[in-house]
Amino acid sequence: MVQPRFVRPTKSSPSSNSGESNSSNLYVANCGPAVGLSHDAIAAVFAAFGKVNGVYAADESGVRIIISFADPCSAKSALEALNGRPCPDLKGRSLHIRYSVLQLPSETQVNDCVPVSLVDSELNIPGLFLLPDFVSVEEEQQLLAAVDARPWIGLAKRRVQHYGYEFCYGTRNVDTKKRLGELPSFVSPILERISLFPNLDNDPSCLDLDQLTVNEYPSGVGLSPHIDTHSAFEDCIFSLSLAGPCIMEFRRYSVSTWKASSADAEKSGDSSCIKKALYLPPRSILLLSGEARHAWNHYIPHHKIDKVKDKVIRRSSRRVSFTLRKVRNHPCRCKYPQYCDSQQQM
């Protein structure tokens, strides 16, 4: 069965105004698989307003969906009841809802693709560096074996492990009073090699990395756009890719995004952000520092297949990332206050 194709409503769309009830299809932002809400769970909530024909992904973000009702009256009732309000049955998330339009197959256009670069210099983002082959194939297998021998924590779509400090996804921060202990010995060679990382002109104390999050992404699972909370971590963030490749997209918004997801930034009218993308091969390590760390959202599209230059690359059955950071014990004083929770709260 072919999935219906919808497009995001625009200001010029006849059904984009939240006061018009000429569509049975709703565009809903800030909910979806990427935030732990399955399509079945979402359908159950919206079914209270009428028959739901289907729930579909609005794009590849995992946080925007289309609800297709059997009739416009049901869509109108749902929009009026849920738009802009926290929904207790959807983890308390505030939904941003507009009408959407079903496109006929003949009208469907190919989605705009962000060109994917193979080297960091093509992106021209200050503070972003990618080193291929940071570990060998043998070291990669040893690291994977080490984490697979330890317990995983199951999230909605992926599994994680935390070392040093636990990362709290609800607050997007760490509790500095609850230290888990030293980082495991299997990352010691990585830490030693990081100390020799080129292009580092940061305070040496920022490289005293003390927090590790290991993520396992099954094929097709990505990561929602976000900036790592400024008050939580110091300037340098390292991410080592193992077992499989991915595309990482970088987005620069002009409005503040520290309180909410980029879906909210787009809702505020900043949908025309700058977008750039980089291919992360297995065994490569990515450094985000300076502007790249503090001002650019990073995002992994929820794809099973990625287009890189003229090649189509199928993602492997799993990708494992090691994200290494230094927990911050003082307010952030970066040069990007519009994205900084420390400076926004002053």
Side-chain angles (χ1 to χ4, degrees), residues 3 5-9 27-34 39 56-66 98 111-112 225 251 253 262-263 266 275 299 301-303:
Q3 175 175 308
R5 174 65 181 161
F6 301 85
V7 290
R8 176 183 302 182
Y27 168 87
V28 184
N30 204 28
C31 76
H39 285 184
Y56 311 101
D59 53 32
E60 299 291 349
S61 70
V63 294
R64 293 180 280 272
I65 51 100
I66 299 291
R98 289 181 284 170
N111 284 341
D112 291 335
R251 299 179 175 185
Y253 294 89
S262 60
E266 292 181 1
K275 298 180 181 180
Y299 158 56
H302 300 261
H303 294 167

Side-chain angles (χ1 to χ4, degrees), residues 117-131:
S117 298
L118 296 175
V119 293
D120 51 21
S121 59
E122 291 182 359
L123 271 63
N124 196 27
I125 298 178
L128 184 152
F129 303 99
L130 178 70
L131 261 62

